[in-house]
Amino acid sequence: QVQLVESGGGSVQAGGSLRLSCVASGNADRLYHRAWFRQVPGKEREGVAVLYAGSGSTVYADSVKGRFTISRDNAKNTLYLQMYSLKPEDTAMYFCAVRKSIGGWFPWAQSAFYDYWGQGTQVTVSS
C-alpha cells in the first residue's frame, strides 16, 4: 500500500555531512507519522528521529541530538534526514518508516509500531 525508497547514503569522513531522502509512493497519507531508524549487524534496530505528522513535532535519539534534523517536503512526498558532524558510531544501515495510525503519542523508537519500511541505505563514517 505504501512504498518507501531511501537514498543519499555513502561514505564520508568523520565531521562530514550527508542528507538522506525517503520518497513515499502508493497510498501514503501526509498525516502518517514518519521516522528514521538505523541498524548495525548484531544489534537491534535503533530509532534515530521521528516526525509527528499532526503537530510537526520532532524527537531525536540522544546520540544524534543537535547533529541530525528530520524534515519533510509534502509537495514531493519526501522525508529527509540531514546529518552533520558525522561520527564513526553513526555508521549503520538507515531505514525510513511510516506509521499509518493517525494519533498522538506512541513509543516512536520501537520498530514494531511502524507499518511500512524502506529497503535501507548504507552510511559509513571513517575516522
Side-chain angles (χ1 to χ4, degrees):
Q1 188 173 11
V2 175
Q3 295 81 46
L4 305 172
V5 179
E6 303 98 333
S7 63
S11 298
V12 64
Q13 290 188 313
S17 303
L18 286 172
R19 188 178 75 163
L20 307 183
S21 300
C22 175
V23 179
S25 61
N27 293 325
D29 195 300
R30 293 181 178 180
L31 297 179
Y32 290 173
H33 305 297
R34 290 164 166 80
W36 286 98
F37 283 72
R38 65 187 183 186
Q39 188 171 29
V40 298
K43 295 186 177 180
E44 295 184 0
R45 194 162 294 186
E46 173 191 17
V48 176
V50 64
L51 176 62
Y52 292 103
S55 65
S57 299
T58 58
V59 183
Y60 298 89
D62 289 340
S63 59
V64 307
K65 197 172 299 181
R67 299 187 297 118
F68 291 10
T69 301
I70 186 172
S71 62
R72 183 175 67 179
D73 185 333
N74 287 335
K76 298 180 179 179
N77 209 14
T78 301
L79 182 74
Y80 300 101
L81 184 68
Q82 179 66 59
M83 305 183 293
Y84 295 104
S85 301
L86 284 163
K87 304 175 180 180
E89 51 263 44
D90 295 318
T91 296
M93 184 73 72
Y94 284 72
F95 302 86
C96 62
V98 169
R99 175 176 168 81
K100 64 182 180 181
S101 179
I102 302 174
W105 182 91
F106 67 97
W108 71 270
Q110 297 184 19
S111 60
F113 284 82
Y114 294 84
D115 302 287
Y116 305 102
W117 295 86
Q119 83 289 349
T121 184
Q122 178 68 38
V123 172
T124 302
V125 184
S126 60
S127 60

